[in-house]
Amino acid sequence: MIGDEHQNAPTDVSGDVQDTDVQPSDDGGRKARKRTPKKVPSEKPVTRQIRRHTPSERAEKIRRIEDSLAKDGLSLKAAVEAVGISDQTYYQWKRAEKPADVSSTLSASSVPSVSSPSATPPASVGSELAELIKLEEENQRLRRLLGEKLRAENAELRRRLELD
């Protein structure tokens, strides 16, 4: 029908048909992406205050978490949230607490003395360091001896096989 193209054309307030020029696009028939306006943050981002806990507060919170785990049967995540810290903070505090406990038991019982079997456990950090240095020197000496022995065996095998 004639005039069908004007039936769907937009009209202005007076009811007259407006001419709309549709021009072919240069994008090869692709749909144009809709552009969304950039969002401008209306307020500052919320930053968390870092709360420093004293060692006694840390110990108390760790004790409360462990009590919740043992007595109440809570999951670790629930127990940690109840105390008000993250599970990663709990693990960090536990790790920081361990070396003091482990070092006293480790130095007293599980580190054998190479120099003399009747040696007493070290009393201070300085003596632990000295013992560690002695162990390192002993390891180097043993590595040199092993290297010499292996070189001698290698030379003997080469001589027997007539490779040299």
Side-chain angles (χ1 to χ4, degrees):
M1 223 185 220
I2 302 174
D4 281 343
E5 68 267 3
H6 291 290
Q7 286 179 349
N8 295 333
T11 59
D12 64 359
V13 179
S14 65
D16 294 337
V17 175
Q18 295 176 349
D19 266 346
T20 56
D21 294 332
V22 179
Q23 296 182 0
S25 63
D26 293 335
D27 61 358
R30 290 179 286 168
K31 291 184 177 179
R33 283 193 298 180
K34 292 182 180 178
R35 292 190 178 207
T36 56
K38 291 184 180 179
K39 294 182 181 177
V40 179
S42 59
E43 57 187 56
K44 289 184 178 180
V46 178
T47 56
R48 260 184 60 199
Q49 284 272 335
I50 297 177
R51 168 110 164 57
R52 303 286 182 197
H53 296 277
T54 64
S56 61
E57 288 175 329
R58 289 181 181 187
E60 175 63 24
K61 287 190 178 195
I62 289 173
R63 186 193 59 75
R64 285 175 39 201
I65 291 169
E66 290 173 351
D67 287 346
S68 295
L69 291 173
K71 293 177 184 175
D72 301 335
L74 291 176
S75 67
L76 179 66
K77 189 166 186 88
V80 169
E81 285 176 358
V83 172
I85 61 172
S86 70
D87 54 344
Q88 288 300 313
T89 302
Y90 170 74
Y91 288 125
Q92 288 174 356
W93 288 356
K94 286 293 285 185
R95 186 178 55 224
E97 191 176 81
K98 251 184 192 171
D101 298 337
V102 172
S103 66
S104 62
T105 59
L106 181 68
S107 65
S109 62
S110 61
V111 177
S113 176
V114 175
S115 60
S116 66
S118 65
T120 59
S124 69
V125 175
S127 62
E128 287 180 13
L129 184 61
E131 186 174 335
L132 182 63
I133 291 171
K134 286 181 186 177
L135 287 173
E136 288 293 329
E137 290 171 353
E138 180 71 12
N139 281 342
Q140 288 177 356
R141 185 183 69 82
L142 292 173
R143 284 186 188 125
R144 275 195 306 273
L145 288 173
L146 181 63
E148 290 171 6
K149 182 178 178 181
L150 290 175
R151 276 191 289 279
E153 287 179 6
N154 193 8
E156 179 64 25
L157 286 173
R158 286 181 171 270
R159 187 184 57 80
R160 286 186 183 175
L161 294 172
E162 299 172 354
L163 293 175
D164 286 337

